[in-house]
Amino acid sequence: MTHEVTIHPLVSPWGRFGLYSFFIDAPEPAVVDTGIASSPAEGMAPVLEKLGRSIEEVRWILLTHGHIDHLGGAHALWELTGRRAQVVIHEADAHLLRSRRAHVENYVAVRRQYLRDPNGVAEQTATAQAVISGELEPTVLVRGGETLSLGGDVTVSVHHIPGHTAGSVAYVVDGQRSVFVGDAVQVHGAANGFPGYEDPDAYRASLTYLRDEIRPRHLYLGHPYRSADGKPFGVELNAEDSRRALRESLDLEQRIADASRRYLRDGLRETDSVYSPFEWVANELGYTGDPTREPSPFFTTLHGYRTRFAAGS
């Protein structure tokens, strides 16, 4: 690559935090992540117009993972490109692009065990219907190791970094080490104040891979995750802040793993606490946030450790 490709954040509002997508201004322009159903028209299009670009020019839709706030706008964006954009997602998360119901099934499989909300399934179903713009068959399924050409001399390499979800990927703009990771680097969590990942071992391995192998010069996050002192990082991190975010993510994962090992190896302890059956883990970590607020990263993450220790690892 003879010159650095310009990258622009595209922010759209939703709930208590904004949804961040990124525009890669390549000969074949790309958008990384798509927010929810309203995001392309309300968040992306106005910003692109101010940049002198048009949403119809987008030729690549690169999805970092399958969560609702990252792929909900994919169908809407694809439609706005005249259905010309190629839609890319890892094969392990593709079912979440193909089916709204898959998001509800994810809730039933994990979070419903702990939240015990009688309206939970109905609420999840309504949310999926409202914020996912449409079910969509991906154009390109990736596994990691692929290189995508965005025209001219601009290429993006795909790296599988599971943990947050099974199909989380990093997209790296080759030659400038601009790295888009979605929610794969959680630091101390976002609005809920707790990091969320499904597979603790995979999460740690992916963080280590990003730190040691990818070594981002520019790191782009899906949300303004928080540091140890509670202050949010931005979503566009330089090399120094990237190293810090990865280091803090790894340090906190180790703390959670150690606390979980002490309290979960002998089985669950049901209590009257809102953190039940993981109250002792929350106490040791000093976590005082509301674990019932969706997307409930506290329960998603602790369920991952529960599964890990139940398997004897």
Side-chain angles (χ1 to χ4, degrees):
M1 185 184 299
T2 57
H3 64 281
E4 288 209 354
V5 176
T6 303
I7 294 160
H8 301 278
L10 307 172
V11 187
S12 55
W14 188 46
R16 59 192 188 279
F17 50 80
L19 302 179
Y20 290 84
S21 304
F22 299 94
F23 178 71
I24 304 175
D25 196 355
E28 295 180 18
V31 168
V32 181
D33 288 336
T34 63
I36 60 170
S38 59
S39 298
E42 297 180 9
M44 298 177 195
V47 176
L48 291 177
E49 287 176 9
K50 289 179 181 178
L51 295 172
R53 305 305 298 268
S54 167
I55 203 164
E56 289 85 358
E57 297 176 54
V58 173
R59 289 296 173 268
W60 292 89
I61 298 171
L62 307 178
L63 301 172
T64 62
H65 65 292
H67 281 164
I68 201 167
D69 54 328
H70 291 259
L71 60 65
H75 191 280
L77 176 56
W78 179 64
E79 289 282 1
L80 288 172
T81 70
R83 300 188 171 187
R84 290 189 292 272
Q86 299 197 66
V87 183
V88 184
I89 193 169
H90 191 278
E91 61 182 15
D93 279 8
H95 63 294
L96 297 166
L97 182 64
R98 295 181 176 121
S99 168
R100 289 185 176 97
R101 182 64 193 175
H103 295 265
V104 181
E105 292 170 352
N106 269 8
Y107 168 82
V108 170
V110 177
R111 301 194 303 281
R112 190 173 71 165
Q113 296 183 47
Y114 310 106
L115 295 176
R116 302 182 181 91
D117 179 357
N119 300 315
V121 171
E123 291 172 355
Q124 292 293 318
T125 302
T127 297
Q129 191 65 37
V131 305
I132 296 177
S133 54
E135 298 175 332
L136 183 63
E137 181 64 30
T139 314
V140 180
L141 287 174
V142 294
R143 302 182 69 182
E146 297 85 358
T147 298
L148 310 174
S149 174
L150 273 55
D153 59 355
V154 181
T155 59
V156 169
S157 57
V158 183
H159 301 259
H160 188 204
I161 49 169
H164 180 66
T165 68
S168 291
V169 299
Y171 296 103
V172 181
V173 180
D174 297 322
Q176 65 186 63
R177 296 211 313 272
S178 294
V179 185
F180 303 87
V181 294
D183 296 346
V185 178
Q186 288 273 314
V187 200
H188 286 252
N192 289 59
F194 201 89
Y197 43 90
E198 298 172 354
D199 183 331
D201 292 336
Y203 178 66
R204 185 169 190 83
S206 293
L207 291 172
T208 302
Y209 177 77
L210 286 166
R211 182 194 65 188
D212 297 344
E213 302 297 329
I214 301 299
R215 295 175 290 110
R217 188 180 302 150
H218 312 280
L219 185 65
Y220 296 88
L221 305 178
H223 304 285
Y225 289 103
R226 301 180 184 189
S227 63
D229 60 8
K231 295 180 181 179
F233 281 89
V235 294
E236 303 174 80
L237 278 58
N238 61 24
E240 180 180 353
D241 285 339
S242 299
R243 289 190 293 271
R244 179 183 164 208
L246 289 165
R247 181 179 66 251
E248 289 193 15
S249 297
L250 283 161
D251 290 347
L252 182 55
E253 190 283 323
Q254 188 64 61
R255 287 184 57 214
I256 297 171
D258 291 344
S260 298
R261 184 178 295 106
R262 280 191 286 276
Y263 294 108
L264 298 183
R265 279 200 180 280
D266 297 329
L268 300 180
R269 306 181 193 183
E270 297 287 348
T271 69
D272 293 332
S273 167
V274 70
Y275 303 99
S276 179
F278 308 117
E279 179 183 2
W280 281 270
V281 178
N283 289 343
E284 177 160 328
L285 295 170
Y287 178 59
T288 59
D290 182 355
T292 68
R293 295 179 73 178
E294 284 284 35
S296 310
F298 177 80
F299 288 122
T300 296
T301 298
L302 270 296
H303 179 80
Y305 288 101
R306 173 192 177 186
T307 303
R308 169 183 170 185
F309 295 135
S313 61

